[in-house]
Amino acid sequence: MKGMIQREMLRLPRGQRKVAEYVMRRPHEVAVCSGQELGDRTGTSESTVIRFSYNMGYTGYPAMQKAIREELYLPESSFSQYQEEKLAIGEESRLYEKVMEQDLKSISETARQIDPHDMEIAVRELATAKNVSVLGLRASYPAANWLKLMLGIVRDDVSVMRPQAEDLVQEVCRLNEHSVVVVISFHRYLRETLLITELAKKKGAFVIGISDSPMAPVSAHCDLVFAIQSPGLTTIDKAAPLFSFMNALVASIAVKNPAEVRKRQELVRELDSGFYFLEGFEA
């Protein structure tokens, strides 16, 4: 819904723009408040809220509110659901090919939904920040660790946040207005991720969210949110478009600062003493 509102924003009357901005900033409140309450909170009226709902393509405010709730409160996903979905397409041969075709569609849809302006801002902030921290818990941790490693190739001072470590408080305390935090948060949403993200925002950090919806709970504390598209709800289904998106982020930063990246690579080559890699090995 956020993308739809952004596309229509400039066409809306002034009063409806106020409603639109409130819906994007505080979808959780809109999901539970009445049309009259939303009108009061936006300094407009219930009739303005209803007209805004019509302009968004809904039959009225209750229908729009229902759509917001569905985006915010997705049904619980599990590996059993993932397995059932794959069994459904696995009745035919060449399952691997069909799964990979689904991944291709998810990557294409994710790319299509990206706002170029938001991407430009994200790349600029990641390239120029004094320090970057990446947060992803449980199933999202491998992706967070991969992004930390890849960002470390194109810039200095990148870390991955580990809530189980005793130095997490120190990690949060060092954040300020010169910091960027990248948060990876998918359904089922973890309270710990939301709490840490909220703390990071309060410290003044620029927060980039990567989630499954522009209205995911983490969006309340993010400056930018990128939604990863996939047919299923599990984090497993989002792996291909997620890693493709993160790859695009790293590639954009590398292209933005080619001289700095080359300098870093030369330094790594100078320090490498053959400890990590086998040179001249032939299979």
Side-chain angles (χ1 to χ4, degrees):
M1 183 181 292
K2 183 179 179 182
M4 182 194 310
I5 294 175
Q6 289 175 331
R7 288 193 298 271
E8 299 295 327
M9 182 72 80
L10 295 179
R11 303 178 185 177
L12 296 173
R14 182 177 179 182
Q16 292 184 41
R17 282 203 299 270
K18 291 183 179 180
V19 177
E21 290 169 356
Y22 195 93
V23 170
M24 287 196 295
R25 288 199 316 271
R26 302 182 179 182
H28 288 77
E29 294 182 15
V30 178
V32 296
C33 74
S34 68
Q36 181 63 57
E37 289 173 331
L38 181 54
D40 292 341
R41 295 178 188 184
T42 56
T44 58
S45 64
E46 184 177 12
S47 60
T48 299
V49 171
I50 294 172
R51 286 194 294 271
F52 169 73
S53 303
Y54 291 152
N55 279 331
M56 291 298 104
Y58 297 100
T59 57
Y61 178 65
M64 184 182 76
Q65 197 175 40
K66 180 176 181 291
I68 292 173
R69 286 172 181 159
E70 288 175 349
E71 286 198 34
L72 291 175
Y73 309 112
L74 295 171
E76 180 177 329
S77 63
S78 65
F79 185 80
S80 61
Q81 180 186 7
Y82 171 84
Q83 187 178 32
E84 289 174 4
E85 291 171 353
K86 298 307 175 277
L87 283 173
I89 63 174
E91 295 174 358
E92 303 176 20
S93 61
R94 300 171 72 91
L95 171 64
Y96 68 89
E97 187 174 357
K98 294 176 176 59
V99 172
M100 294 173 77
E101 285 175 354
Q102 282 189 345
D103 287 345
L104 284 172
K105 291 179 181 178
S106 297
I107 291 171
S108 296
E109 182 62 19
T110 298
R112 191 180 69 82
Q113 295 287 344
I114 292 173
D115 185 320
H117 180 64
D118 285 354
M119 190 67 166
E120 182 180 345
I121 294 173
V123 171
R124 183 188 69 215
E125 294 293 332
L126 286 167
T128 60
K130 183 177 180 181
N131 54 74
V132 175
S133 297
V134 186
L135 173 65
L137 305 183
R138 298 188 66 178
S140 296
Y141 179 75
N145 196 51
W146 184 90
L147 182 58
K148 179 261 181 185
L149 291 172
M150 296 303 104
L151 285 175
I153 295 175
V154 298
R155 59 152 295 140
D156 290 321
D157 205 354
V158 183
S159 63
V160 63
M161 302 178 79
R162 297 180 176 84
Q164 68 274 18
E166 294 181 0
D167 61 352
L168 177 62
V169 174
Q170 296 179 356
E171 180 79 12
V172 174
C173 285
R174 81 185 187 111
L175 300 176
N176 54 40
E177 65 275 12
H178 303 297
S179 306
V180 168
V181 176
V182 181
V183 181
I184 304 172
S185 174
F186 293 107
H187 186 268
R188 304 170 64 194
Y189 310 113
L190 295 173
R191 293 182 182 275
E192 194 171 10
T193 299
L194 300 181
L195 290 172
I196 297 171
T197 306
E198 183 178 7
L199 288 174
K201 191 60 194 168
K202 286 181 178 178
K203 291 290 293 181
F206 187 92
V207 182
I208 300 171
I210 304 175
S211 191
D212 44 21
S213 168
M215 294 185 179
V218 74
S219 67
H221 311 298
C222 293
D223 296 282
L224 296 174
V225 178
F226 294 96
I228 303 301
Q229 308 295 321
S230 72
L233 299 177
T234 65
T235 305
I236 304 173
D237 279 316
K238 293 172 176 58
L242 170 60
F243 276 84
S244 182
F245 171 73
M246 294 191 300
N247 181 41
L249 272 179
V250 175
S252 298
I253 296 169
V255 170
K256 191 175 185 67
N257 295 319
E260 179 64 24
V261 174
R262 282 195 295 269
K263 180 179 178 181
R264 290 180 60 78
Q265 291 304 298
E266 290 171 0
L267 180 61
V268 170
R269 282 193 292 270
E270 290 175 3
L271 294 176
D272 176 31
S273 61
F275 178 80
Y276 290 107
F277 307 105
L278 293 175
E279 301 292 346
F281 175 76
E282 294 183 4

